């Protein structure tokens, strides 16, 4: 976060001599997490994970109201998310965490199955190419009913991301 560079020439546009005391990079980065448990009432559907608070959001590009990251510029971005799920019954089908790009499934992460009412954490990570104003959100496919947990804030259910490079 910011610093001082003295008598250094920095790319285009050139900055020569003097001091630069503003951040050199404006890199969007965020971490958002679930604040309340989210019930999954119907098995066999894909549900957007509600992420109502932010641990940080450097350039204010994560919208908690829609649980979506909105890219400020075209670029290559890294995302990682984690979901903790507790099934409602003893018969448990597949659980899959996915990243959705502009409303369409783009990447599937871990696929897990549970027995009984055991709680399980699983995640999804990938590098995605986004255009300016492109959106990313995290969703859960649950083959059974249950609850997306939130008891530990950013420990249990979260999505984080940052831009790696501009296009």
């Amino acid at each position: 976060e910011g610093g001082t560079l003295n008598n250094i020439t920095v790319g285009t546009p050139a900055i020569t001599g003097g001091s630069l005391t503003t951040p050199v990079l404006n890199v969007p980065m965020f971490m958002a997490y679930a604040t309340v448990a989210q019930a999954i009432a119907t098995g066999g559907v894909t549900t957007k994970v509600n992420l109502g608070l932010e641990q940080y959001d450097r350039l204010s590009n994560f919208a908690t109201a829609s649980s979506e990251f909105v890219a400020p510029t075209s670029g290559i971005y890294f995302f990682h998310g984690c979901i903790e799920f507790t099934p409602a019954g003893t018969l448990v089908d597949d659980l899959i965490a996915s990243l959705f790009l502009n409303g369409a499934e783009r990447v599937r992460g871990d696929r897990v199955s549970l027995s009984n009412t055991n709680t399980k954490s699983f995640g999804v990570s990938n590098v995605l190419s986004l255009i300016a104003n492109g959106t990313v959100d995290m969703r859960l496919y649950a083959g059974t009913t249950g609850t997306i947990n939130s008891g530990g804030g950013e420990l249990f259910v979260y999505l984080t991301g940052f831009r790696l490079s501009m296009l």
Side-chain angles (χ1 to χ4, degrees):
E1 192 70 33
T4 301
L5 298 175
N6 292 311
N7 299 317
I8 293 178
T9 301
V10 179
T12 304
I15 301 171
T16 304
S19 294
L20 176 64
T21 56
T22 59
V24 175
L25 299 175
N26 279 329
V27 177
M29 59 181 68
F30 73 94
M31 180 183 188
Y33 59 95
T35 56
V36 296
Q38 184 177 348
I40 304 297
T42 305
V45 298
T46 300
T47 304
K48 184 185 281 191
V49 177
N50 295 329
L51 302 169
L53 275 181
E54 298 166 328
Q55 178 69 28
Y56 55 88
D57 188 1
R58 186 164 180 194
L59 298 179
S60 300
N61 298 110
F62 190 85
T64 55
S66 62
S67 296
E68 292 178 336
F69 171 78
V70 181
T73 57
S74 297
I76 305 298
Y77 291 79
F78 173 80
F79 296 94
H80 173 73
C82 181
I83 300 171
E84 183 177 276
F85 185 82
T86 303
T90 57
L91 178 61
V92 178
D93 203 342
D94 290 329
L95 301 168
I96 304 169
S98 296
L99 293 175
F100 275 60
L101 174 61
N102 299 322
E105 186 177 37
R106 182 71 176 111
V107 171
R108 287 188 180 180
D110 296 332
R111 180 179 188 162
V112 298
S113 294
L114 300 176
S115 59
N116 301 318
T117 56
N118 296 327
T119 297
K120 181 77 173 182
S121 293
F122 48 98
V124 58
S125 299
N126 214 309
V127 175
L128 300 174
S129 177
L130 277 72
I131 60 169
N133 298 311
T135 62
V136 172
D137 65 85
M138 183 171 63
R139 301 189 193 190
L140 167 69
Y141 170 82
T144 188
T145 60
T147 303
I148 298 174
N149 300 321
S150 67
E154 66 268 23
L155 295 175
F156 295 141
V157 180
Y158 61 85
L159 178 63
T160 188
F162 56 90
R163 188 181 66 217
L164 295 169
S165 68
M166 295 179 69
L167 289 179

